[in-house]
Structure formats: structure tokens, C-alpha cells
Amino acid sequence: MTTTPVRTGEPFTSVTELIEAVGAARLGPDPAAEQVSVAFTTRQGARHAGRGRGYRNHVLSLRVGATVGSCATEPDELTDDVAYDCVGRDVADLLTHPVQAVRVAALDAYLAAARPHAHTAHDTVTIPAGTSLAKSTARAAAVVELLPVAPGQSVLVVGVVNSLLEQLRRRGVSYLPCDLAGGSTEWDEPCLPDAAALLERCEALLVSGMTLGNGTFEALLEHARATGKPMVAFAQTGSAVLPCFLGAGLSAVSAEPYPFFWLDGGPTAVYRYRDNPGSPC
């Protein structure tokens, strides 16, 4: 796909609005002319050395041209046939797919090609080669640096990643761990499933890109926009999608396109975006 200058001006406030703009070819080439050549799922389990808890990731990824777009799902939420069914179909078609993860992955792949991170991000952080724990820790530090919070303030963390919580603990920042899957943190703190019930108790939000795939993102964005609270997204899911919401409640994005840090022991990149004029799509 040829890189095309993208729209500047008012940021998007909903995924539906963004999909409509892409479908109308307002942000790049006609999506009906852009085809998915490869579709695949990544099923991963991890338990970092020295950690007491493990986790699983299932991710749907679609390749459009030279770029890959991704959307994480709950384990076993999608069958492999969903991925196989995407192969050979055009982006415009997949933007209306009944499965939200497909829509998000297609949107992510398209936008990653239309506005490559290397050309649009405010800075790039190289996560050095190392063990899975070392890379997780380095990524977490790069993400938490985007949060404008002081010791004693409270952050709602939606989509619990223990390395992120560890970085907050090191900075003396308290947090409210929230995850749809429930469970508990490395420090045996309960992960509450209902983010809406915790919004009034936080002074900032740190939000996983998975909220795009499970439909909870827009309510969090609306709260941040209405209250002026800082909201930072850490994104493997929708890494090229989330920067389009800067200025509409989102204050910064740590974007990590495929291949993710946990897939490769060598150096990998995290692209960071901040809210300023010209940042949105």
C-alpha cells in the first residue's frame, strides 16, 4: 500500500466513526482495493522466570501489504476458521465483519500501512534483547513514563500486566487493577472486572488496547474526555488505531505492532505518541 497523507483536525471519538472514515477512503487508499494476504492466530502462554503467575495470549492478526494488524481476544474466543475466512478478502469487506476482533485487526492493518509508526510516532523506544522478563520490564518502563502522575495518586489499570504494576509501585503510585478475566495480581490483589465502578476512584487511566476488541474502550475514553483525567493506552491490539483518538480523551499511546516483545528475544520497538496538534488521524 502506498503511504498517503492523513487527515488532521478533530480527533475521532468512536471506533464506528473511524471505520466510516476509512470505509470512505478519507484516510488513505480505497479499502476495497486493499486485500488481506495472510491471516493467522498466535496462541501463547508465558510465565516469566521469578514470577509466581503466568498468563495466556490469543491474538488474531491480518496482513495487508507489508503491515500486520492485530486484535487480542480472550483464550478460545475465536476458532482458527475465523482467521482462514479472512484470507483474500478486502479491508472494506472486513470492516463490516460480524466479529469485532476481525474489524479491529483489519482497521489496524489498514491504518498501519496508511500512517506507518516510523513516520508518525513522536519517539521510538528500542526494547533491548533479553529474557522475557527483562523485555517485559523495559516495555513497562517505556509505557509508564507516559503517565503524568505523582506519588500518592491512583491509576485505574484496565488490562492487568504485572510488569506495569511493578513500575507504578516503584514510583509510589497506587493503582486499581481491573481485568475482565478477574484473578489477582502478582501481589495477591484482586483484579476487579468492572472498570465503570472504579472510574470515580482514580486520577488517571492506563488502558490496554484489548479494550478495543472487547467493546469497553469508548466508555473509558468518554470518561477521560469529560473529566480531563490523563488516559494512556498500551497497545498491541490496535496499535495503529488508538493514535486516532489522541485529543478526544486519550493523552498518549504506547504502540507495539506485531511482532510483539514476547515473540522475539532480540531488540523490538515501541512507538510512543502524545497528544499535541497534528497527532490525530
Side-chain angles (χ1 to χ4, degrees):
M1 181 191 292
T2 302
T3 301
T4 303
V6 295
R7 177 176 77 96
T8 58
E10 291 301 313
F12 293 95
T13 59
S14 73
V15 176
T16 298
E17 180 187 3
L18 179 56
I19 286 176
E20 289 174 352
V22 169
R26 299 213 313 268
L27 303 187
D30 181 358
E34 304 300 325
Q35 190 176 85
V36 171
S37 59
V38 180
F40 57 98
T41 57
T42 306
R43 301 173 185 268
Q44 172 253 35
R47 181 173 172 178
H48 302 311
R51 287 278 173 84
R53 299 181 187 277
Y55 60 91
R56 291 192 294 164
N57 283 318
H58 286 194
V59 183
L60 171 69
S61 297
L62 306 178
R63 180 167 181 167
V64 175
T67 65
V68 174
S70 298
C71 183
T73 67
E74 293 301 319
D76 302 320
E77 180 181 338
L78 300 181
T79 66
D80 289 342
D81 286 340
V82 173
Y84 301 148
D85 183 57
C86 294
V87 177
R89 295 172 66 174
D90 62 66
V91 171
D93 181 24
L94 294 180
L95 290 177
T96 64
H97 196 280
V99 176
Q100 182 151 330
V102 173
R103 299 195 299 272
V104 170
L107 184 64
D108 192 35
Y110 176 93
L111 289 171
R115 53 188 318 275
H117 290 299
H119 298 166
T120 55
H122 294 104
D123 66 81
T124 304
V125 177
T126 298
I127 307 303
T131 66
S132 64
L133 179 59
K135 295 195 69 176
S136 178
T137 300
R139 184 195 72 146
V143 172
V144 171
E145 284 173 0
L146 295 170
L147 266 174
V149 291
Q153 291 187 302
S154 181
V155 177
L156 173 60
V157 181
V158 183
V160 169
V161 176
N162 284 306
S163 291
L164 292 174
L165 302 185
E166 182 183 39
Q167 289 296 319
L168 294 173
R169 292 167 74 95
R170 288 183 179 182
R171 290 162 169 76
V173 176
S174 63
Y175 53 80
L176 300 165
C178 178
D179 200 294
L180 281 177
S184 58
T185 73
E186 186 74 12
W187 301 272
D188 291 322
E189 301 148 328
C191 299
L192 303 176
D194 186 3
L198 302 171
L199 285 171
E200 299 305 324
R201 296 169 52 190
C202 72
E203 289 148 306
L205 295 85
L206 183 58
V207 176
S208 166
M210 282 188 70
T211 56
L212 284 171
N214 63 31
T216 61
F217 172 74
E218 289 176 13
L220 300 170
L221 184 72
E222 183 178 356
H223 176 81
R225 185 166 62 247
T227 61
K229 294 177 183 178
M231 177 171 161
V232 173
F234 56 100
Q236 293 176 343
T237 290
S239 68
V241 175
L242 284 164
C244 293
F245 299 98
L246 289 165
L250 198 60
S251 54
V253 178
S254 171
E256 186 183 358
Y258 194 95
F260 314 127
F261 80 89
W262 39 262
L263 284 167
D264 189 338
T268 49
V270 166
Y271 302 93
R272 300 195 299 188
Y273 295 81
R274 297 170 178 83
D275 175 25
N276 64 25
S279 289
C281 289

